[in-house]
Amino acid sequence: MSAPMISLESATSQTSLDQLLATAKPSGCTSSSCGVSTKPADVDQAIWAKIKNHPCYSEEAHHYFARMHVAVAPACNIQCNYCNRKYDCANESRPGVVSEKLTPDQALRKVIAVANEVPQLSVLGVAGPGDACYDWKKTKETFERVAGEIHDIKLCISTNGLALPDHVAELVD
């Protein structure tokens, strides 16, 4: 059984998302460790509004919304094991390990192709095989291109934080 198909436009209000989550039967991942199981009553409403339909932060949302990572930022300012490319196989699922690095233009084409096949796509992330903030030029160009074509997509980064202060203002914009 697959997750119900919904349009992103119909799930943008608090009421419609709450109705969807109350009536739909989730499928797919049944692990209790996926996402955060926090409910709206447990979280400040301003925070809940930001995370309610984000599959990385809401256990319920990850059953109904899709996310995608693109590997456009291979440079890094440290050499930790998060992106250790030595172990890259079909069973590898860490976002920092990839078989294919993309240019921002290739990433745009890939995201559009996936969005055409997966209407639940709501989040695009840059999560390795380097640091999204350290390799900022490629990250920013990818985000600008994708946001220019898919206006309601959320943009996320995975970063070790060392170069984050240099780009906070641009991220907010």
Side-chain angles (χ1 to χ4, degrees):
M1 175 185 215
S2 62
M5 297 286 283
I6 60 168
S7 74
L8 294 177
E9 292 80 23
S10 68
T12 55
S13 73
Q14 176 70 42
T15 304
S16 63
L17 182 66
D18 288 344
Q19 289 170 344
L20 170 71
L21 296 177
T23 59
K25 294 180 180 173
S27 64
C29 180
T30 57
S31 169
S32 62
S33 65
C34 291
V36 175
S37 61
T38 304
K39 303 293 182 220
D42 301 329
V43 177
D44 178 84
Q45 287 302 307
I47 300 298
W48 179 246
K50 293 178 182 179
I51 66 170
K52 68 183 178 189
N53 60 357
H54 195 301
C56 298
Y57 301 115
S58 167
E59 182 176 359
E60 293 298 321
H62 97 267
H63 293 288
Y64 307 103
F65 298 94
R67 65 181 173 236
M68 176 180 182
H69 295 128
V70 290
V72 297
C76 192
N77 48 2
I78 61 173
Q79 297 301 313
C80 65
N81 286 327
Y82 180 76
C83 299
N84 187 337
R85 295 170 198 92
K86 199 165 45 171
Y87 307 104
D88 179 21
C89 66
N91 296 322
E92 181 62 61
S93 63
R94 289 179 294 142
V97 177
V98 298
S99 297
E100 174 186 40
K101 293 179 222 153
L102 305 171
T103 66
D105 188 52
Q106 290 169 324
L108 172 63
R109 289 194 305 269
K110 190 169 192 172
V111 172
I112 289 172
V114 170
N116 284 329
E117 295 295 320
V118 182
Q120 302 91 336
L121 182 65
S122 63
V123 177
L124 174 67
V126 173
D131 186 83
C133 286
Y134 183 73
D135 210 348
W136 180 246
K137 183 178 176 187
K138 292 175 185 170
T139 299
K140 182 180 177 185
E141 184 178 348
T142 300
F143 281 171
E144 287 173 342
R145 288 179 181 220
V146 171
E149 295 292 325
I150 306 173
H151 305 289
D152 58 349
I153 198 161
K154 290 179 170 82
L155 304 171
C156 290
I157 59 167
S158 177
T159 179
N160 59 37
L162 297 175
L164 182 60
D166 298 334
H167 307 292
V168 168
E170 290 176 282
L171 282 165
V172 170
D173 287 344

